[in-house]
Amino acid sequence: LGAPAETAICEFGPGQFEINLGHTADALAGADHMIWLKRAIRGTARAQKLDATFMAKPFGAASGSGQHIHVSLMDDDAHNALAGVPGQGVSPRLGQAVAGLVTTMAEATAVFAPHANSYRRFVAGSYAPTSAAWGLDNRSTAVRVPATHGPGARIEHRVAGADANPYLLAAAVIAAMLEGIEATRTPPPPTIAGAPASDDQPLPLNWERAIAAFTESAFIGTWLGQEMQRVFAGIKRQEHATLLAQVPDTEYNAYLRVV
């Protein structure tokens, strides 16, 4: 299907794999590649009489599946606008982009975690972040900066689950970076690699709270559009109400004969 998959490696969970898609200068094309990859995997699985899932947390006792996105920004001369001077750490523009991401992350969590199952992935001590922290090459944080200079200077956004819509994910991440740059925001201190991420800026790790934060967000209304904000929130509230009206087997097993 044309998805530029570069590597595939076994991950922690049973039957779980990480696949890396190649860089593209077009964010829309990058989202297309994710959809193509999903279609290719699902079609191949069906041909083998198997199922492939992109649920964020399909098995409670196993690790969840994320959808990490790496982003850099190019200027009019095709230079990496986030790159700084070697040895001088994070450039001002990279810092502003990081600040935009961490300050708007709670408001956009409903995009990164769009379903009821999405919130089962956020477990303390796992690779899924629970707060809006950032760090230099720190995989315990929501925002990781793998490199600060040269063509590889970029930001890795590690919040979204494999179930997130890649188009909305890319739009929310790019909008947050641009908002931080336009407002010349200053990022909080980074979390040191090897240390646990700070809980100073917790994410709304409850579906209802995430939908409420999305609904009330001026950032979402301005950058993604008020109509999109209204429709998306309405769909998610309806989805939440539909699931809430169904009693799962786990509740029957826990309560039916004991209360």
Side-chain angles (χ1 to χ4, degrees), residues 3 18 28 32 38 52 65 68 77 103 123 127 149-150 152 173-174 184 198 208-209 219 225 227 231 243 247:
E18 174 184 307
L28 183 60
D32 286 342
K38 283 186 174 184
S65 296
H68 300 171
D77 297 320
T103 56
V123 178
Y127 285 112
H149 63 274
V173 168
I174 293 170
T184 61
S198 169
E208 288 181 278
R209 292 201 299 270
F219 160 72
E227 182 66 3
V231 172
L243 291 177
V247 181

Side-chain angles (χ1 to χ4, degrees), residues 70-165:
H70 290 248
V71 188
S72 55
L73 297 176
M74 311 303 288
D75 62 20
D76 292 337
D77 297 320
H79 297 139
N80 191 339
L82 300 182
V85 178
Q88 295 187 14
V90 173
S91 70
R93 187 166 288 165
L94 178 54
Q96 293 162 4
V98 166
L101 287 168
V102 298
T103 56
T104 63
M105 191 172 291
E107 301 164 60
T109 296
V111 170
F112 308 141
H115 305 112
N117 177 261
S118 306
Y119 295 85
R120 297 186 184 277
R121 174 173 160 263
F122 297 112
V123 178
S126 71
Y127 285 112
T130 57
S131 64
W134 75 282
L136 297 170
D137 203 19
N138 186 347
R139 285 182 168 84
S140 71
T141 56
V143 175
R144 168 178 169 250
V145 178
T148 59
H149 63 274
R154 65 192 187 279
I155 290 170
E156 180 190 13
H157 193 276
R158 301 172 54 83
V159 183
D163 58 338
N165 181 308

Side-chain angles (χ1 to χ4, degrees), residues 219-239:
F219 160 72
I220 294 294
T222 298
W223 286 87
L224 300 187
Q226 293 181 356
E227 182 66 3
M228 179 273 175
Q229 183 179 31
R230 182 188 68 81
V231 172
F232 183 86
I235 290 171
K236 292 301 153 185
R237 282 194 293 266
Q238 183 182 54
E239 184 180 345

